[in-house]
Structures are given as C-alpha cells and as structure tokens.
Amino acid sequence: GRIEKQARPSSAMDCALINIPGQGFVRYKILAPPSQLEHHLEVKDALQEAINSGKSAMIAKCIKEACGPSHPMYKSKDCKCHYCRIPGDVLAHCKKYMEACQRREQARERQWRKEERHMQAARLMTEWA
C-alpha cells in the first residue's frame, strides 16, 4: 500500500477574518511571517474597529493603511511594507461597506439640514406673529 504524507497542521494564525455588517465574515490568508504577525494584526484590527464604528472617514483611512501598491491611495500610506497589506478583494468588500456608510452619513446630513431649515422657519414665524 501507499503511505500518504500527512499534511502539516497549519499555524493558528495563517488566516484572518474581517466581519463586515451585511456581508458577513471575509476570510483571507495572512502572508506575514511570525516576526511580522503583530504588525499585520494591528493593521487588520484597526480596520475591523473602523468598520465596527460605521464611520466612513475612519474606514477609508484604514483601507489606505492596508492597501497594496496597485491601490490609488498606496503612495500616501504611512507604512509601505509587505506585511501590513490586506488582499485587494477583501478591501473591495470593506470599500463597499464604507460607501454604504457614506450614503447613510449623507442622508443623515440632509435630514439634519432639512430639520434645521424647518426650525429656522418656525422661529421666523413666531417672531413675525
């Protein structure tokens, strides 16, 4: 009979998950060596925290810090090492969520402005009465 080699068990940190509301968990392979794992996880955790906040500006900043050289914001990111990068397809899911957050923020802003105009009109009406 043929003896098959057993696959080596993978390390506990060879994959990471990012939880994106409305999309679920997005899984990707971590390419950082053990010596750079902490650095990678700092970037990933900051991105997850930004996503959890639902604040589009915070998400955009974290996407920038996690992107690779093909991304338009790469030139302006702080650290350009290979180990803090998150795959582009994962960042595309994050960007989709960021855009949804932007739309919600814009809708809230429009609603706030509308309410503000109504309040100003009400004040004017009481002043004229």
Side-chain angles (χ1 to χ4, degrees):
R2 214 175 116 192
I3 300 174
E4 292 187 22
K5 291 184 179 176
Q6 251 188 337
R8 268 188 325 175
S10 61
S11 71
M13 289 307 301
D14 62 350
C15 287
L17 297 172
I18 294 183
N19 187 14
I20 303 174
Q23 298 180 47
F25 288 93
V26 181
R27 183 179 178 175
Y28 68 94
K29 184 168 179 61
I30 297 176
L31 300 176
S35 63
Q36 294 297 319
L37 185 59
E38 185 176 336
H39 176 53
H40 177 84
L41 292 177
E42 286 171 358
V43 173
K44 179 238 174 230
D45 291 345
L47 178 58
Q48 184 65 68
E49 188 175 318
I51 289 168
N52 293 347
S53 79
K55 296 178 181 174
S56 63
M58 198 170 159
I59 298 168
K61 180 180 181 287
C62 290
I63 287 173
K64 178 181 80 170
E65 293 309 319
C67 72
S70 63
H71 195 279
M73 294 193 298
Y74 179 78
K75 288 184 179 180
S76 65
K77 71 183 275 188
D78 294 333
C79 177
K80 293 183 174 65
C81 83
H82 180 74
Y83 307 117
C84 60
R85 297 180 198 163
I86 292 175
D89 60 324
V90 175
L91 294 181
H93 288 285
C94 298
K95 182 180 179 203
K96 181 179 174 185
Y97 180 69
M98 177 195 73
E99 290 167 347
C101 292
Q102 285 173 327
R103 287 190 297 276
R104 279 194 299 276
E105 291 164 357
Q106 290 165 350
R108 279 193 297 263
E109 180 71 18
R110 284 191 302 273
Q111 183 63 31
W112 179 83
R113 288 181 192 276
K114 183 178 176 182
E115 290 171 5
E116 186 65 24
R117 285 192 304 272
H118 284 107
M119 288 173 57
Q120 287 174 345
R123 279 195 297 270
L124 287 174
M125 295 297 281
T126 56
E127 288 175 9
W128 292 344

